[in-house]
Every structure is written in structure tokens, then in C-alpha cells.
Amino acid sequence: MISEITVAMQSGMGLGKLANVIHPYPTATDAIRQCGDAYNRARLTPTVKAIFYRLMAFKR
């Protein structure tokens, strides 16, 4: 699984495309999808981040 992700990174393939690949073992697909989700949650743009902070402050 690590070599597959490494090849995808070197070729510039996004995690979304890699997560859509059908693997022989479903756990490999789930693991890659979870990695992609964790990465996408960590890369908020400053504008979206400010909106979320204001929304969360409003809800408190």
C-alpha cells in the first residue's frame, strides 16, 4: 500500500483519484480513503477557516 501511495504522489495523482481505485482488499481502500479525508480536513484555506471559526463562535 505504501508503494502505491508513493507512486501516486510522484505522478501528481490526487488522493481522491487514488481512493476511487478498486483494490482487491477492501481494507486497503478504506485506509487510503481515511488518509485522504484526514489530509483534506487539515488543509482548510484561510477564508474557509475564518468562516468555520466564526460559525463555531456563533454556536457557542
Side-chain angles (χ1 to χ4, degrees), residues 26-50:
T27 54
T29 303
D30 292 337
I32 292 172
R33 186 168 288 127
Q34 287 177 359
C35 289
D37 290 343
Y39 172 75
N40 284 331
R41 281 192 302 268
R43 64 177 193 117
L44 291 176
T45 62
T47 305
V48 173
K49 195 174 197 177

Side-chain angles (χ1 to χ4, degrees), residues 2-21:
I2 292 173
S3 63
E4 183 177 339
I5 294 172
T6 305
V7 169
M9 289 171 62
Q10 289 295 321
S11 66
M13 180 187 285
L15 286 173
K17 289 182 182 179
L18 186 61
N20 289 331
V21 174

